[in-house]
Amino acid sequence: MSAKVSKFMSSPSKVFYTAALTIIVIMLIGTGFDWQISQAIMDQNSWFGTIFQDFGLWPIPFIIILSSMVIINYAWRSKTMPWFVRCSMILGAFVLSGWQLWANYLKTTVYYALTLNDNIKKGLPVGQANSDGGNLHLSFLGNFAIWIIIYLVIFFLTQIWLSHKSDEQMDYLVKVAVVATLAAIVANDMNSAMKTYWGRWRPYELAGNHVNFTNWFQPNGANDHMSFPSGHTTAAAGIMLLPMFVDRANVKLQKITFWLGLAYCILMWASRVRVGAHFLTDATSGLWTVWFVFFIVLSITGMHLVEWKKDPILSDHNI
């Protein structure tokens, strides 16, 4: 094998092709045995499944919030830009990040947490919840108090982190912020559209009755059932953008962030099948559809999650 071929088959290519092959195999297994696998391992009393269900939706909102914090810091530093441009950037980033924290994380998480408490009181399975149409909520003051505390903590911690960045590092991070936000929003919107159009029943909704079961490749149209693809694994997949925010010179930390992010995705994937909220193919599709969007966006922009090696051949692989 030539040195060029050897390099081609090193870390980036291995990760990409291994992941692609694994996903194809899992989808094939789920195509034939979705129902049987779900019936064998589903348990709505699983605390593993419940914890990830209730509190694990943070990655995509966090990526957009982190990107907004970068924009705020960049605009504050950029004294040469017109004041109205800087103000627009700062105001827009504040609004976007605040909305993401509430609408795409806290709103659902508060509902799940209240449902968990209600389930315990009523002696119901701890993981029994329906985010597609729940109505438990806190008062306005309760919601605002949680939101403002978390937002301020994120704001001050990120600004302290960004204050140590050089102007050159900020030039890179602002590009990451734009690309990561685009990738996250496109992936999230695509997932929402697919869930509505596919109309697949969730395992727990079927309650052991095979009559309304359909395979993942069979869209049913909008019918208020939203199992395919998994929104939780879609959100979890967003964490794979986090290595982009690590300094490009610190390849070791980029790799650590990458592998920890992948581990989180796998845990979320397993938890959704375990708690009976999704079939195997639902959970898997929530991951691969998002990663596919990320792959396209990064390929177009020429950016990388991890600078695996300082090598021109490897730098062509946008993963």
Side-chain angles (χ1 to χ4, degrees), residues 2 44 50 69 79 184:
S2 68
Q44 286 199 290
T50 301
M69 296 300 105
K79 307 297 184 182

PDB file of all heavy atoms in Angstrom, residues 2 44 50 69 79 184:
ATOM      1  N   SER A   2       0.603   2.193  -0.881  1.00  0.00           N
ATOM      2  CA  SER A   2       1.411   3.403  -0.971  1.00  0.00           C
ATOM      3  C   SER A   2       1.178   4.290   0.238  1.00  0.00           C
ATOM      4  O   SER A   2       0.188   4.160   0.956  1.00  0.00           O
ATOM      5  CB  SER A   2       1.058   4.182  -2.243  1.00  0.00           C
ATOM      6  OG  SER A   2      -0.245   4.698  -2.152  1.00  0.00           O
ATOM      7  N   GLN A  44     -40.771   1.522  30.289  1.00  0.00           N
ATOM      8  CA  GLN A  44     -41.029   2.924  30.627  1.00  0.00           C
ATOM      9  C   GLN A  44     -40.703   3.242  32.082  1.00  0.00           C
ATOM     10  O   GLN A  44     -40.793   4.392  32.493  1.00  0.00           O
ATOM     11  CB  GLN A  44     -42.486   3.282  30.321  1.00  0.00           C
ATOM     12  CG  GLN A  44     -42.761   3.417  28.830  1.00  0.00           C
ATOM     13  CD  GLN A  44     -44.023   4.200  28.558  1.00  0.00           C
ATOM     14  OE1 GLN A  44     -45.125   3.728  28.827  1.00  0.00           O
ATOM     15  NE2 GLN A  44     -43.869   5.399  28.018  1.00  0.00           N
ATOM     16  N   THR A  50     -35.406   7.577  31.210  1.00  0.00           N
ATOM     17  CA  THR A  50     -36.131   8.754  31.701  1.00  0.00           C
ATOM     18  C   THR A  50     -35.217   9.957  31.868  1.00  0.00           C
ATOM     19  O   THR A  50     -35.565  11.083  31.488  1.00  0.00           O
ATOM     20  CB  THR A  50     -36.823   8.436  33.027  1.00  0.00           C
ATOM     21  OG1 THR A  50     -37.737   7.349  32.837  1.00  0.00           O
ATOM     22  CG2 THR A  50     -37.577   9.648  33.555  1.00  0.00           C
ATOM     23  N   MET A  69     -23.143  33.540  21.681  1.00  0.00           N
ATOM     24  CA  MET A  69     -22.200  34.170  22.610  1.00  0.00           C
ATOM     25  C   MET A  69     -20.932  34.621  21.883  1.00  0.00           C
ATOM     26  O   MET A  69     -20.354  35.667  22.201  1.00  0.00           O
ATOM     27  CB  MET A  69     -21.840  33.183  23.723  1.00  0.00           C
ATOM     28  CG  MET A  69     -22.995  32.773  24.621  1.00  0.00           C
ATOM     29  SD  MET A  69     -23.783  34.149  25.512  1.00  0.00           S
ATOM     30  CE  MET A  69     -25.319  34.339  24.588  1.00  0.00           C
ATOM     31  N   LYS A  79     -14.483  47.282  16.938  1.00  0.00           N
ATOM     32  CA  LYS A  79     -14.689  48.721  17.035  1.00  0.00           C
ATOM     33  C   LYS A  79     -14.728  49.411  15.677  1.00  0.00           C
ATOM     34  O   LYS A  79     -15.241  50.534  15.564  1.00  0.00           O
ATOM     35  CB  LYS A  79     -13.573  49.349  17.889  1.00  0.00           C
ATOM     36  CG  LYS A  79     -13.388  48.709  19.265  1.00  0.00           C
ATOM     37  CD  LYS A  79     -14.606  48.870  20.132  1.00  0.00           C
ATOM     38  CE  LYS A  79     -14.347  48.306  21.532  1.00  0.00           C
ATOM     39  NZ  LYS A  79     -15.550  48.398  22.406  1.00  0.00           N
ATOM     40  N   ALA A 184     -27.108  23.444  12.531  1.00  0.00           N
ATOM     41  CA  ALA A 184     -28.009  23.023  13.603  1.00  0.00           C
ATOM     42  C   ALA A 184     -29.465  23.343  13.269  1.00  0.00           C
ATOM     43  O   ALA A 184     -30.360  22.519  13.488  1.00  0.00           O
ATOM     44  CB  ALA A 184     -27.605  23.695  14.916  1.00  0.00           C
TER      45      ALA A 184
END
